[in-house]
Amino acid sequence: MTAQCIVLIDDHAMFRTGMRLVLQAGLPDLEVREAVSLEQAVRPPALAPALVLLDIDLQGVNGLEGIGLLRQRWPQTPVIMLSSSAEPETVRLALARGAAAFVSKAETAAHILAVVRRALDGQGPAGAAGLDLAAAGAAVAAALTPRQCEVLDLLAEGLSNKVMARRMELSEFTVRGHVHAVLRLLGVTSRSQAAIAARSRGLLR
């Protein structure tokens, strides 16, 4: 069960204050809880929040690295990435790692509230570049090379690097490099997580 609150994680006090006022005005029924870091946000033994707004540039564990941690702790809670930059590669990485949406801090309060409301309604809000959850899989697919796609298919079958190398007629060193690249693009740290993430994003049948 999720608590009726939004967790705002940002290490800039002035931005947190402004964002909290925007959220409280637009969503008066929701409490806004502030944190300056991921560590502080997850420390209280609280129920999962309804939504997390996560700054990309944080001290300690940054936002991109922290998406996976938040998804593990609160798997049903959507995470919206906030950033002062909306470079396409940054957006792609955030969505590939599990963010429900990406919002530039330069957007209007009305736009940010609209994205938040869509996420709370479970509608898969679009990010700053017009990308949504379905597009996260497309973004990863576009970044994978043909060889990496082949490695992903074999990896999902549970094959070892040695077996993959024989089947693909490549060296184990080369296969290991492809596996590492696939894990990085999917934002995961293990082969089993890669298979799960790839299936959830439509990259595997």
Side-chain angles (χ1 to χ4, degrees):
M1 181 179 179
T2 56
Q4 290 303 300
C5 77
I6 293 176
V7 174
L8 171 61
I9 309 173
D10 194 293
D11 56 4
H12 290 89
M14 187 174 295
F15 177 80
R16 285 200 317 274
T17 298
M19 191 73 253
R20 175 168 49 79
L21 292 174
V22 167
L23 293 169
Q24 288 175 335
L27 301 162
D29 295 333
L30 289 180
E31 173 193 355
V32 179
R33 183 159 61 88
E34 300 179 35
V36 299
S37 66
L38 277 154
E39 292 84 354
Q40 183 184 33
V42 302
R43 193 179 302 142
L47 291 174
L51 182 136
V52 173
L53 284 165
L54 176 64
D55 183 28
I56 198 169
D57 295 315
L58 294 171
Q59 297 296 320
V61 179
N62 68 36
L64 284 175
E65 295 169 342
I67 293 173
L69 298 174
L70 291 173
R71 299 290 291 158
Q72 287 177 7
R73 184 176 180 87
W74 299 319
Q76 303 304 316
T77 299
V79 178
I80 295 178
M81 179 67 74
L82 294 168
S83 177
S84 56
S85 169
E87 294 295 325
E89 177 66 9
T90 305
V91 177
R92 183 190 66 76
L93 280 173
L95 295 176
R97 295 187 181 193
F102 186 104
V103 179
S104 169
K105 290 183 177 181
E107 291 286 357
T108 64
H111 176 83
I112 294 175
L113 278 174
V115 173
V116 168
R117 288 193 185 100
R118 284 174 60 87
L120 290 170
D121 290 340
Q123 296 179 27
L131 296 173
D132 56 20
L133 282 172
V140 175
L144 290 169
T145 67
R147 279 296 195 189
Q148 288 167 356
C149 289
E150 189 176 354
V151 164
L152 179 57
D153 286 336
L154 298 177
L155 183 152
E157 293 179 21
L159 302 185
S160 66
N161 288 352
K162 185 174 183 178
V163 173
M164 283 194 283
R166 280 204 305 266
R167 186 174 294 189
M168 299 175 69
E169 299 182 345
L170 298 172
S171 70
E172 282 190 61
F173 178 82
T174 299
V175 169
R176 188 160 58 247
H178 286 318
V179 169
H180 177 75
V182 168
L183 297 183
R184 178 176 52 79
L185 284 169
L186 288 170
V188 298
T189 57
S190 73
R191 300 159 80 93
S192 60
Q193 288 175 353
I196 294 170
R199 285 194 177 92
S200 69
R201 294 167 195 172
L203 297 174
L204 294 171
R205 291 184 295 275

